[in-house]
Amino acid sequence: MGDTHETPLASASLEEDDTLESAGENHGFLPIETNWFDRLFISVVIWVALSLFWFRFVEPLGLSIWISNAIAVVLAIFIVRKG
């Protein structure tokens, strides 16, 4: 009942759990595990979506597409570095 003796296998699995938890703390704001290429791909998809939105709704108001491209580049740099 009061046996606190751990087997080597049980202590090894506890050490693995500790390392997984500590590794999980350093993730970025994206809810999935990504590498730099995944984050770059996400940035390109956001750039395309922002450009289509800009062409449809904002450019007829007189604002240039270059503003959208500048926003997309800033977002891409932020996502690739911090994501």
Side-chain angles (χ1 to χ4, degrees), residues 2-3 5 9-10 12 14-15 34 43 49 55 58 60 64 68-69 73-74:
D3 187 22
H5 183 267
L9 185 58
L14 290 175
E15 290 174 8
T34 59
S43 300
F55 279 133
V58 182
S64 173
S68 168
N69 289 339
V73 167
V74 170

Side-chain angles (χ1 to χ4, degrees), residues 40-67:
L40 182 66
F41 180 77
I42 291 168
S43 300
V44 169
V45 170
I46 290 173
W47 172 62
V48 169
L50 182 63
S51 294
L52 291 174
F53 176 83
W54 200 273
F55 279 133
R56 175 65 177 98
F57 297 108
V58 182
E59 196 175 37
L61 300 175
L63 293 175
S64 173
I65 190 66
W66 290 107
I67 297 170

Side-chain angles (χ1 to χ4, degrees), residues 13-56:
S13 68
L14 290 175
E15 290 174 8
E16 278 185 23
D17 292 341
D18 292 341
T19 58
L20 290 176
E21 289 175 5
S22 64
E25 294 174 2
N26 293 331
H27 288 294
F29 61 89
L30 293 173
I32 55 175
E33 185 176 338
T34 59
N35 59 21
W36 69 270
F37 187 78
D38 295 333
R39 294 187 298 267
L40 182 66
F41 180 77
I42 291 168
S43 300
V44 169
V45 170
I46 290 173
W47 172 62
V48 169
L50 182 63
S51 294
L52 291 174
F53 176 83
W54 200 273
F55 279 133
R56 175 65 177 98

